[in-house]
PDB file of all heavy atoms in Angstrom:
ATOM      1  N   SER W  95      -6.675 -10.054  -5.233  1.00 91.00           N
ATOM      2  CA  SER W  95      -5.589 -11.014  -5.526  1.00 91.00           C
ATOM      3  C   SER W  95      -4.291 -10.425  -4.838  1.00 91.00           C
ATOM      4  O   SER W  95      -4.174  -9.303  -4.640  1.00 91.00           O
ATOM      5  CB  SER W  95      -5.324 -11.099  -7.049  1.00 91.00           C
ATOM      6  OG  SER W  95      -5.033  -9.843  -7.641  1.00 91.00           O
ATOM      7  N   TRP W  96      -3.422 -11.395  -4.516  1.00 94.00           N
ATOM      8  CA  TRP W  96      -2.169 -10.958  -3.824  1.00 94.00           C
ATOM      9  C   TRP W  96      -1.445 -10.043  -4.706  1.00 94.00           C
ATOM     10  O   TRP W  96      -1.142 -10.309  -5.857  1.00 94.00           O
ATOM     11  CB  TRP W  96      -1.378 -12.192  -3.430  1.00 94.00           C
ATOM     12  CG  TRP W  96      -1.785 -12.852  -2.216  1.00 94.00           C
ATOM     13  CD1 TRP W  96      -2.410 -14.072  -2.135  1.00 94.00           C
ATOM     14  CD2 TRP W  96      -1.632 -12.465  -0.874  1.00 94.00           C
ATOM     15  NE1 TRP W  96      -2.759 -14.485  -0.885  1.00 94.00           N
ATOM     16  CE2 TRP W  96      -2.222 -13.453  -0.063  1.00 94.00           C
ATOM     17  CE3 TRP W  96      -1.102 -11.340  -0.288  1.00 94.00           C
ATOM     18  CZ2 TRP W  96      -2.214 -13.328   1.316  1.00 94.00           C
ATOM     19  CZ3 TRP W  96      -1.142 -11.230   1.133  1.00 94.00           C
ATOM     20  CH2 TRP W  96      -1.722 -12.251   1.888  1.00 94.00           C
ATOM     21  N   LYS W  97      -0.935  -8.892  -4.087  1.00 92.00           N
ATOM     22  CA  LYS W  97      -0.098  -7.981  -4.855  1.00 92.00           C
ATOM     23  C   LYS W  97       0.951  -7.497  -3.870  1.00 92.00           C
ATOM     24  O   LYS W  97       0.791  -7.344  -2.657  1.00 92.00           O
ATOM     25  CB  LYS W  97      -0.791  -6.852  -5.394  1.00 92.00           C
ATOM     26  CG  LYS W  97      -1.787  -7.219  -6.453  1.00 92.00           C
ATOM     27  CD  LYS W  97      -2.258  -6.150  -7.367  1.00 92.00           C
ATOM     28  CE  LYS W  97      -3.083  -6.696  -8.423  1.00 92.00           C
ATOM     29  NZ  LYS W  97      -3.858  -5.764  -9.149  1.00 92.00           N
ATOM     30  N   MET W  98       2.193  -7.236  -4.471  1.00 93.00           N
ATOM     31  CA  MET W  98       3.295  -6.749  -3.735  1.00 93.00           C
ATOM     32  C   MET W  98       3.359  -5.226  -3.826  1.00 93.00           C
ATOM     33  O   MET W  98       3.149  -4.603  -4.922  1.00 93.00           O
ATOM     34  CB  MET W  98       4.589  -7.279  -4.276  1.00 93.00           C
ATOM     35  CG  MET W  98       5.803  -6.746  -3.516  1.00 93.00           C
ATOM     36  SD  MET W  98       7.310  -7.528  -3.979  1.00 93.00           S
ATOM     37  CE  MET W  98       7.425  -7.101  -5.708  1.00 93.00           C
ATOM     38  N   TYR W  99       3.636  -4.516  -2.697  1.00 92.00           N
ATOM     39  CA  TYR W  99       3.795  -3.132  -2.608  1.00 92.00           C
ATOM     40  C   TYR W  99       5.190  -2.820  -2.155  1.00 92.00           C
ATOM     41  O   TYR W  99       5.782  -3.464  -1.255  1.00 92.00           O
ATOM     42  CB  TYR W  99       2.802  -2.570  -1.606  1.00 92.00           C
ATOM     43  CG  TYR W  99       1.316  -2.930  -1.984  1.00 92.00           C
ATOM     44  CD1 TYR W  99       0.732  -4.128  -1.658  1.00 92.00           C
ATOM     45  CD2 TYR W  99       0.580  -2.074  -2.664  1.00 92.00           C
ATOM     46  CE1 TYR W  99      -0.464  -4.533  -2.007  1.00 92.00           C
ATOM     47  CE2 TYR W  99      -0.666  -2.474  -3.123  1.00 92.00           C
ATOM     48  CZ  TYR W  99      -1.280  -3.628  -2.710  1.00 92.00           C
ATOM     49  OH  TYR W  99      -2.506  -3.965  -3.091  1.00 92.00           O
ATOM     50  N   MET W 100       5.796  -1.777  -2.782  1.00 92.00           N
ATOM     51  CA  MET W 100       7.151  -1.348  -2.503  1.00 92.00           C
ATOM     52  C   MET W 100       7.171   0.157  -2.345  1.00 92.00           C
ATOM     53  O   MET W 100       6.846   0.813  -3.272  1.00 92.00           O
ATOM     54  CB  MET W 100       8.151  -1.808  -3.540  1.00 92.00           C
ATOM     55  CG  MET W 100       8.279  -3.302  -3.671  1.00 92.00           C
ATOM     56  SD  MET W 100       9.520  -3.767  -4.805  1.00 92.00           S
ATOM     57  CE  MET W 100       8.807  -3.376  -6.342  1.00 92.00           C
ATOM     58  N   LEU W 101       7.616   0.644  -1.177  1.00 91.00           N
ATOM     59  CA  LEU W 101       7.722   2.062  -0.848  1.00 91.00           C
ATOM     60  C   LEU W 101       9.006   2.449  -0.439  1.00 91.00           C
ATOM     61  O   LEU W 101       9.430   2.132   0.623  1.00 91.00           O
ATOM     62  CB  LEU W 101       6.604   2.311   0.271  1.00 91.00           C
ATOM     63  CG  LEU W 101       5.193   1.933   0.008  1.00 91.00           C
ATOM     64  CD1 LEU W 101       4.355   2.097   1.215  1.00 91.00           C
ATOM     65  CD2 LEU W 101       4.618   2.766  -1.139  1.00 91.00           C
ATOM     66  N   PRO W 102       9.732   3.223  -1.234  1.00 93.00           N
ATOM     67  CA  PRO W 102      10.978   3.669  -0.866  1.00 93.00           C
ATOM     68  C   PRO W 102      10.933   4.927   0.002  1.00 93.00           C
ATOM     69  O   PRO W 102       9.991   5.745  -0.186  1.00 93.00           O
ATOM     70  CB  PRO W 102      11.749   4.107  -2.213  1.00 93.00           C
ATOM     71  CG  PRO W 102      10.617   4.357  -3.118  1.00 93.00           C
ATOM     72  CD  PRO W 102       9.451   3.603  -2.707  1.00 93.00           C
ATOM     73  N   PHE W 103      11.815   5.147   0.922  1.00 93.00           N
ATOM     74  CA  PHE W 103      11.838   6.347   1.755  1.00 93.00           C
ATOM     75  C   PHE W 103      13.233   6.576   2.403  1.00 93.00           C
ATOM     76  O   PHE W 103      14.046   5.630   2.342  1.00 93.00           O
ATOM     77  CB  PHE W 103      10.714   6.233   2.845  1.00 93.00           C
ATOM     78  CG  PHE W 103      10.961   5.166   3.858  1.00 93.00           C
ATOM     79  CD1 PHE W 103      11.529   5.532   5.086  1.00 93.00           C
ATOM     80  CD2 PHE W 103      10.538   3.907   3.668  1.00 93.00           C
ATOM     81  CE1 PHE W 103      11.739   4.467   6.105  1.00 93.00           C
ATOM     82  CE2 PHE W 103      10.707   2.889   4.574  1.00 93.00           C
ATOM     83  CZ  PHE W 103      11.316   3.172   5.822  1.00 93.00           C
ATOM     84  N   GLN W 104      13.403   7.726   2.936  1.00 95.00           N
ATOM     85  CA  GLN W 104      14.669   8.041   3.527  1.00 95.00           C
ATOM     86  C   GLN W 104      14.396   8.513   4.991  1.00 95.00           C
ATOM     87  O   GLN W 104      13.458   9.306   5.282  1.00 95.00           O
ATOM     88  CB  GLN W 104      15.335   9.181   2.790  1.00 95.00           C
ATOM     89  CG  GLN W 104      16.721   9.560   3.333  1.00 95.00           C
ATOM     90  CD  GLN W 104      17.466  10.350   2.326  1.00 95.00           C
ATOM     91  OE1 GLN W 104      17.342  10.324   1.104  1.00 95.00           O
ATOM     92  NE2 GLN W 104      18.408  11.246   2.845  1.00 95.00           N
ATOM     93  N   ALA W 105      15.194   7.921   5.912  1.00 95.00           N
ATOM     94  CA  ALA W 105      15.078   8.324   7.353  1.00 95.00           C
ATOM     95  C   ALA W 105      15.671   9.801   7.478  1.00 95.00           C
ATOM     96  O   ALA W 105      16.734  10.042   6.912  1.00 95.00           O
ATOM     97  CB  ALA W 105      15.918   7.402   8.252  1.00 95.00           C
TER      98      ALA W 105
END
Side-chain angles (χ1 to χ4, degrees):
S95 60
W96 280 106
K97 294 201 177 164
M98 181 174 60
Y99 302 84
M100 295 185 288
L101 304 171
F103 65 99
Q104 185 165 330

